[in-house]
Amino acid sequence: MNDISKQTKLFIVYEKHEEDLASDLKTLFEHWGLDAFYCRQEIKDAAAAEPYRKILRDNLNRAHLVILLVSREFQWSKYCQSEAGVAMTSDKERIIITIPPIKPRDITEICPVLEGYNVLVPTPKLYVSQLKASVDKAIGTSFCNALITDADI
């Protein structure tokens, strides 16, 4: 694994209904040698407001790449909207992934700050390879020397 993969940090923005997907993506990214963070609901529920905000702020500030999982519920989440705003106004690379039944044309309604950016619309068989190609492009290197195996798919 190269040095860039060991230090590349990813921040996953998701709505609580997509927590299993966020967890699975974190596992996949770590399998690829990348450090990924998503804020679990139990951290939100257990933490006082300021420590929780600090955890979010620190992890978002350290992230090189922000992955946004845009579902219908994303629209009503104040945290998702705030994190999306920070991602879009910073110099961080980002990948926007739509969660079915969301289509790219729905982005304007769900999160206007994301309008006009490229959106990854994964197809079931090609999802992992599409995601890896998008991450490679976003961080400007091929971070994973290992081949994508059937276990990744």
Side-chain angles (χ1 to χ4, degrees), residues 24-140:
D24 290 346
L25 284 172
K26 176 179 172 52
T27 300
L28 179 64
F29 293 138
E30 288 174 347
H31 173 74
W32 288 345
L34 300 171
D35 181 17
F37 173 84
Y38 74 99
C39 218
R40 296 185 328 270
Q41 186 63 39
E42 56 267 19
I43 292 174
K44 290 181 192 178
D45 294 340
E50 193 51 41
Y52 174 68
R53 289 186 190 122
K54 183 175 180 349
I55 291 168
L56 278 178
R57 183 177 51 246
D58 291 350
N59 279 283
L60 192 49
N61 285 338
R62 284 195 302 262
H64 297 98
L65 172 62
V66 179
I67 308 290
L68 299 112
L69 304 178
V70 180
S71 63
R72 180 61 61 194
E73 293 80 10
F74 194 101
Q75 179 175 4
W76 295 285
S77 168
K78 292 176 185 177
Y79 279 102
C80 288
Q81 295 294 322
S82 296
E83 292 165 10
V86 170
M88 301 314 284
T89 58
S90 69
D91 288 333
K92 298 184 183 313
E93 292 293 329
R94 58 217 162 256
I95 298 173
I96 303 165
I97 302 173
T98 57
I99 307 300
I102 300 304
K103 304 227 181 301
R105 68 176 177 264
D106 300 323
I107 294 291
T108 301
E109 176 186 335
I110 293 170
C111 189
V113 74
L114 301 178
E115 181 180 16
Y117 289 92
N118 289 332
V119 176
L120 178 62
V121 183
T123 57
K125 273 196 157 255
L126 298 176
Y127 180 72
V128 173
S129 59
Q130 287 174 308
L131 182 60
K132 182 186 180 304
S134 294
V135 172
D136 277 349
K137 183 177 177 186
I139 63 176

